[in-house]
Amino acid sequence: MATDQREGPGALSGQTVPSSSVGSYQANLNPHHNPCNIDDWSRWVSQPLLVPSSPHSRFYPQMDAEYSMGLSHQNLGASNYTWINHHDIPPHVPGIDSPNMGPMGEIKDEYVDEDKSEWKTIRQSPIKEELYYSGMLPMQNLPPSPPSTSTSTDSSYPSPESGHAPSPERTGSGMNKEDTKERAGNLPYSILIYRALKSADGNKLSLQGIYRWFEMNTDKAKDPNHKGWQNSIRHNLSMNAGFEAVKEEMGPGQKTVNFWRLTPAAIQDGGIQSTTRYRKGSAKGTGRNSQREPTGSDGGHPPKKVKTSHAVNHSSSHISHIPHISHIQQYPQGYLPTELPPMAFLPHTFPSGLPPVNHPMPRFGLGPVSGCTAQFPGNNGVVLDYPEMGPDYGPTYPIGPTWYASSTLPNDRAIAGSNVPAGPVLGYKDQ
DNA sequence: CTATGTAAACAAC
DNA sequence: GTTGTTTACATAG
Ligand SMILES: [Mg+2]
C-alpha cells in the first residue's frame, strides 16, 4: 500500500486560554481577545486563587489574590501528544470548588510539587470526538478586509466567511443542517485552508498549524473517510497560488520556521481560486490574474524557494524588573510567535493532591498571545504572555510588579510578564 | 470539461 | 520522517 504514513493524529493541539480578568466573564472587545466559542465560558473565568508560598520557590510569591485559569501545564515533550478530554468531569464551578480546596473544602496552604513522571501515564488518551467546540474558529482580529469585489474572471470562491464564525457544538442533539453546512463541513480543502489561514494572525500558519486547525475545525481529520487529508492539504497548499510559503526567521541564528500564508491577492479578492489546473496542458490560470500556481516542470521537485520575512515586533519598550531571574532574554526583534509548537493538554493536578481536573481546553490558534517562551531543550514549560491584564497560561503567581511565574514547579523554568503590555520578554528561572 | 479528492513518486531537508 | 512539488487517476456534476 505504501500509503502515506504521515496521516493520523500526531502532534497536535495548539491552544489558548481565554484571558479574562477578574470575576466573571464578559464580552471582551479587545481585538486580541480570542472569542472562541466554548459552550460554557464561565468555567474558564479566572478564579481567585490563593497561591501559597512554596519552600521550593526561588521567588517570593505574594499572597495577593492571584487568578488562575485553573488549568495549567503543557507538556512539550517531543512526541506522543494526546490531549485529555474528560467529559465526565463535572463543570468547575467558580467559587464552589476552588482548586485549592480540599475534598472537604478546606483551603490547602501547602504546596506540593507535582510529580510529572505521572504525566506520562496520563497522557495516553484516545482522541475523542465531539471535542469541545469543533466548529468554530475566530474569524476576527483581522484588518478590515476590503469589500470582496472579486474581480477575477477566473472562478474564485466567494469569500468563505459570511461574517460569522460557525457555531460550536454538535454534541448531543442540536445540530441544524445549516450548521453542518456553514461549518467546515464539506467545503473543499482549498477553502478550508483559506479559512485556517485567514483566522490566523498574520494570515499564516505552519503546516502543523494547519493540520491542527483541521483537526479542530473540520471532520476531515477524524473521519476515516478522509484518509490522506494531510496529503491533500499539502497538495492544495502547493498547487494553489493563493497560498505561499514564507520562511520566518525567529531571530539571528535561530531556526527559521516555515509558514504558509495567504497571498495578498487571495486576501484582497476575498478568497482563493480553484486549485485545479493540473492537467498537463491546462493553459488555465497560467495567465495574468490567475491565482493558480504556474506549473513549472514535472516531477517531485526541490521545494520552491520561499520568501523570507521577519517576525514583527509587538513588544513594548519598557521592561519590568524581574527578581531572581537569570538569563533574561529578550528576543532580538520582539519575537512575536505566530504560533506555538504543538502542545498537549494535560490534566491539572492540583497541589493539594486532589484528583486531576481535565478541562476541555479551547484549541486553536494563539491569537491573543503576545509572547511566549521558547521550548527548552529537555523540557516543557512554555508560558504564554497575554496582552490583557491577568495571568498568563498556567497557575501563575506574582514574582514582581508585573511578572508572573507559571508555577513553582522545578521544571517549569519559564516565566513571562503578564500585565506588561505585550511584552515578549522572557526570563529563565535559575535551575 | 471542470473541480476536487487521493495516491504516490520524488527531491530536499 | 517531514515538507513540498507535481503527475496520475477516479469521480461527481
Ligand atoms: Mg502555493
Side-chain angles (χ1 to χ4, degrees), chain A residues 237-241 243-244 260 293:
Chain A
L237 285 172
S238 273
M239 304 308 275
N240 196 306
F243 313 126
E244 61 179 354
W260 282 97
E293 199 71 67

Side-chain angles (χ1 to χ4, degrees), chain A residues 164 166 175-187 192 195:
Chain A
H164 88 301
M175 176 173 105
N176 43 21
K177 43 224 56 225
E178 184 176 341
D179 221 5
T180 311
K181 201 68 175 198
E182 292 306 331
R183 265 189 60 267
N186 315 298
L187 297 170
L192 293 175
R195 290 189 176 187

Side-chain angles (χ1 to χ4, degrees), chain A residues 152-361:
Chain A
S152 66
T153 52
D154 254 330
S155 60
S156 69
Y157 301 121
S159 189
E161 65 274 347
S162 314
H164 88 301
S167 63
E169 236 3 272
R170 90 263 225 82
T171 315
S173 51
M175 176 173 105
N176 43 21
K177 43 224 56 225
E178 184 176 341
D179 221 5
T180 311
K181 201 68 175 198
E182 292 306 331
R183 265 189 60 267
N186 315 298
L187 297 170
Y189 281 99
S190 52
I191 290 183
L192 293 175
I193 294 173
Y194 170 86
R195 290 189 176 187
L197 298 179
K198 192 75 181 299
S199 72
D201 194 27
N203 294 322
K204 62 183 193 289
L205 283 173
S206 67
L207 181 61
Q208 288 298 325
I210 295 172
Y211 287 166
R212 265 173 265 142
W213 188 90
F214 268 72
E215 284 165 341
M216 62 186 118
N217 295 301
T218 77
D219 298 325
K220 295 264 197 297
K222 305 164 194 169
D223 193 339
N225 294 341
H226 301 290
K227 289 190 287 226
W229 65 279
Q230 294 186 321
N231 192 351
S232 291
I233 288 175
R234 292 196 303 276
H235 168 73
N236 276 269
L237 285 172
S238 273
M239 304 308 275
N240 196 306
F243 313 126
E244 61 179 354
V246 288
K247 263 202 172 73
E248 199 166 281
E249 299 174 356
M250 288 322 208
Q254 294 181 53
K255 322 175 197 298
T256 63
V257 186
N258 258 310
F259 291 101
W260 282 97
R261 183 178 60 188
L262 279 180
T263 287
I267 301 173
Q268 286 217 309
D269 293 355
I272 74 286
Q273 300 178 319
S274 168
T275 301
T276 308
R277 75 65 261 239
Y278 334 18
R279 279 304 257 129
K280 215 147 198 184
S282 179
K284 256 272 187 287
T286 316
R288 20 285 133 197
N289 86 30
S290 140
Q291 275 187 28
R292 307 272 176 71
E293 199 71 67
T295 300
S297 36
D298 41 24
H301 272 169
K304 197 171 34 176
K305 63 279 182 163
V306 297
K307 304 177 181 178
T308 300
S309 66
H310 289 71
V312 192
N313 180 5
H314 288 206
S315 70
S316 59
S317 46
H318 77 285
I319 298 171
S320 302
H321 173 59
I322 309 172
H324 303 279
I325 302 297
S326 66
H327 308 117
I328 290 176
Q329 172 191 52
Q330 180 166 11
Y331 283 94
Q333 304 184 339
Y335 169 30
L336 180 73
T338 300
E339 68 179 309
L340 291 174
M343 284 182 269
F345 293 112
L346 297 165
H348 182 198
T349 302
F350 299 123
S352 60
L354 291 173
V357 170
N358 304 294
H359 285 284
M361 288 292 288

